[in-house]
């Protein structure tokens, strides 16, 4: 599927929409004491690869790969946003979060997997626990540029805390490239200097 603007749906909604909304809100956020931007990524970002030559999935489509790529884009975005906010002296804080794997109604879209959910739920976060990293990122004591999620096994479940992201999600060259591509695709330029 595609967005109204013609972008591959997952990249368009998960990343480009987030990028555009944040860019448009930055002037108001800059005037608001304690403002922060929280970008929701996923543990799926670890296996994400951005196909720079086919961002709109016109040459081929795999929903799992597209999702992981969009979540890597989220992680790169908040990384670069934080770098640029710090470089500009902005009071706005940018952080990322992920819910781990929570037992929610999303399983209804996963075909046969929904049959396996009852026993698997024992190994997943509850929906409530999955919400904690977002709440921590939005309202708790955080480190600017930090990433928050479940601290248990493989980031799947457990108490919320600051967690690691992949090395690729912290690559300044990839982050800047994504920033420039996002400006080009959305036509919206956040008024922040490059963080060289």
């Amino acid at each position: 599927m595609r967005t109204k603007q013609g972008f591959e749906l997952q990249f368009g909604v998960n990343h480009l929409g987030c990028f555009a909304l944040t860019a448009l809100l930055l002037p108001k956020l800059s005037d608001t004491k304690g403002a922060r931007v929280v970008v929701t990524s996923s543990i799926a970002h670890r296996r994400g690869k951005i196909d720079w030559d086919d961002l709109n999935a016109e040459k081929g489509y795999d929903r799992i790969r597209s999702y992981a790529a969009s979540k890597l884009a989220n992680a790169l975005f908040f990384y670069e946003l934080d770098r640029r906010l710090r470089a500009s002296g902005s009071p706005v804080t940018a952080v990322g979060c992920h819910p781990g794997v929570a037992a929610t109604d999303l399983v209804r879209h996963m075909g046969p997997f929904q049959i396996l959910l009852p026993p698997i739920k024992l190994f997943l976060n509850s929906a409530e626990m999955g919400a904690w990293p977002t709440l921590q990122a939005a309202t708790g004591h955080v480190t600017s540029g930090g990433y928050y999620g479940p601290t248990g096994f493989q980031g799947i479940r457990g108490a919320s805390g600051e967690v690691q992201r992949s090395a690729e999600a912290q690559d300044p060259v990839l982050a800047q490239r994504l920033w420039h591509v996002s400006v080009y695709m959305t036509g919206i330029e956040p008024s922040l200097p490059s963080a060289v």
Side-chain angles (χ1 to χ4, degrees):
M1 295 176 65
R2 304 212 173 272
T3 67
K4 183 179 176 181
Q5 297 79 15
F7 304 126
E8 185 277 317
L9 188 66
Q10 295 191 89
F11 187 75
V13 171
N14 292 346
H15 170 61
L16 293 174
C18 179
F19 177 88
L21 179 63
T22 301
L24 294 172
L25 290 175
L26 273 177
K28 186 68 174 167
L29 290 172
S30 295
D31 293 337
T32 306
K33 184 179 178 184
R36 66 177 77 172
V37 174
V38 177
V39 179
T40 303
S41 186
S42 166
I43 57 175
H45 89 274
R46 296 179 195 153
R47 64 180 181 274
K49 299 287 180 217
I50 296 175
D51 184 347
W52 300 101
D53 297 322
D54 194 23
L55 289 173
N56 277 323
E58 293 165 345
K59 298 176 185 174
Y61 180 74
D62 178 286
R63 66 186 172 107
I64 303 295
R65 282 198 306 264
S66 292
Y67 177 76
S70 76
K71 291 303 169 178
L72 174 58
N74 289 145
L76 286 166
F77 170 54
F78 83 79
Y79 173 74
E80 183 65 11
L81 177 62
D82 176 65
R83 286 167 19 102
R84 288 174 182 251
L85 289 168
R86 299 294 63 78
S88 73
S90 174
V92 179
T93 299
V95 296
C97 64
H98 77 86
V101 182
T104 68
D105 287 339
L106 284 175
V107 75
R108 72 185 182 278
H109 299 292
M110 297 182 181
F113 181 74
Q114 60 189 315
I115 296 167
L116 302 173
L117 186 63
I120 291 175
K121 273 186 175 180
L122 299 172
F123 303 99
L124 306 179
N125 262 343
S126 65
E128 293 79 9
M129 288 292 290
W132 276 107
T134 305
L135 292 170
Q136 181 180 13
T139 65
H141 178 72
V142 296
T143 302
S144 184
Y147 187 46
Y148 298 86
T151 56
F153 179 72
Q154 298 290 313
I156 293 172
R157 62 173 291 151
S160 180
E162 192 161 2
V163 295
Q164 294 296 313
R165 63 199 113 152
S166 70
E168 191 169 19
Q170 300 172 83
D171 182 321
V173 174
L174 289 179
Q176 287 186 37
R177 182 176 187 184
L178 178 67
W179 186 276
H180 294 299
V181 166
S182 302
V183 168
Y184 174 77
M185 292 178 82
T186 64
I188 299 171
E189 172 77 63
S191 55
L192 290 171
S194 179
V196 178

